Amino acid sequence: MYKSFFKRILDFIAALVGFILLSPIFIIVMVGLFFANQGKPFFFQTRPGKNDKLFKIIKFKTMNDKKDSEGALLPDSDRLTKIGTFVRKTSLDEIPQLLNVLKGDMSLIGPRPLLVQYLPLYNEAQKQRHAIRPGITGWAQINGRNAISWNQKFEYDVWYVDNCSFLLDIKILFLTIKKVVVSEGISQEGEATMEAFKGN
């Protein structure tokens, strides 16, 4: 009952209250990124949600669009701006996703929504991560975030889908706050964020 009904109600209420409380920070970060990214403070990208339904995720834009001489985007580490580094380190880039939660595309807690091109690369077990709404944070995020392997991440995601409960969500929420404070697992070793998933 919680996973299919009450979770959505609590998500909406918490996201609405959270967005109102964080609106001053939202505005400050938005203005800072507006100037850092040539008038583009937001990042929009199509991601798969519950049952593989596609939606547009919204985040603060932490990387610029600088390209090399051949017109290809520079590596993530070269495009990450100074303010973008701070926003990502403090997880402030996730604040706009509260709007995705209000719309019903996402949940506060759940498997992180990944790239559309990863869909055909999942095995049958990994596909189960899309049985519920994706989340702003989740079981994988408090157990390593980008510092763990893809296989570990997917195992945590599927475990959460099978064990989702109100008490587990509360635990993940508080542990997420702790992770944000100590800035753990933001990037994979040797990467600005995390290397791309190439399949099993």
Side-chain angles (χ1 to χ4, degrees):
M1 181 65 78
Y2 170 73
K3 183 161 52 173
S4 61
F5 182 71
F6 289 111
K7 183 174 172 67
R8 172 60 191 148
I9 295 174
L10 293 175
D11 275 338
F12 184 87
I13 295 172
L16 181 61
V17 172
F19 190 78
I20 292 172
L21 293 176
L22 293 171
S23 57
I25 298 175
F26 179 92
I27 294 171
I28 292 171
V29 174
M30 182 179 67
V31 171
L33 291 174
F34 178 88
F35 290 105
N37 296 323
Q38 294 77 49
K40 298 178 181 179
F42 298 109
F43 170 77
F44 298 91
Q45 190 174 57
T46 301
R47 299 284 179 93
K50 182 179 179 180
N51 299 322
D52 297 346
K53 181 181 178 181
L54 303 183
F55 71 97
K56 289 280 188 181
I57 195 172
I58 175 172
K59 299 179 70 174
F60 278 128
K61 189 177 176 67
T62 57
M63 293 186 286
N64 58 42
D65 297 320
K66 291 183 178 179
K67 301 177 180 179
D68 60 24
S69 58
E70 297 180 353
L73 287 172
L74 294 173
D76 289 356
S77 57
D78 294 334
R79 296 189 295 118
L80 197 59
T81 61
K82 288 184 178 180
I83 185 173
T85 300
F86 171 77
V87 168
R88 180 169 291 192
K89 183 177 181 180
T90 54
S91 294
L92 293 176
D93 58 322
E94 312 288 358
I95 293 178
Q97 289 170 70
L98 291 173
L99 298 174
N100 287 121
V101 176
L102 291 173
K103 287 175 58 184
D105 297 326
M106 294 177 64
S107 174
L108 290 178
I109 313 293
R112 285 292 299 158
L114 302 176
L115 300 178
V116 175
Q117 55 262 41
Y118 293 171
L119 286 175
L121 303 179
Y122 300 137
N123 60 34
E124 289 304 312
Q126 293 165 352
K127 289 178 182 178
Q128 295 305 308
R129 69 190 306 278
H130 291 154
I132 60 176
R133 287 185 179 87
I136 295 178
T137 186
W139 190 238
Q141 278 59 54
I142 65 167
N143 282 288
R145 198 174 172 179
N146 289 333
I148 58 177
S149 71
W150 281 110
N151 282 336
Q152 288 175 303
K153 188 188 293 281
F154 293 143
E155 287 175 6
Y156 286 132
D157 287 345
V158 175
W159 184 90
Y160 173 79
V161 171
D162 292 337
N163 295 275
C164 176
S165 70
F166 174 72
L167 290 179
L168 179 59
D169 279 359
I170 294 298
K171 177 181 179 179
I172 292 172
L173 187 61
F174 279 102
L175 288 176
T176 296
I177 294 172
K178 176 185 175 183
K179 289 284 184 179
V180 170
V181 171
V182 298
S183 301
E184 286 183 356
I186 294 172
S187 61
Q188 195 171 52
E189 187 174 353
E191 301 283 340
T193 52
M194 185 170 185
E195 65 175 352
F197 176 57
K198 300 180 177 63
N200 296 280

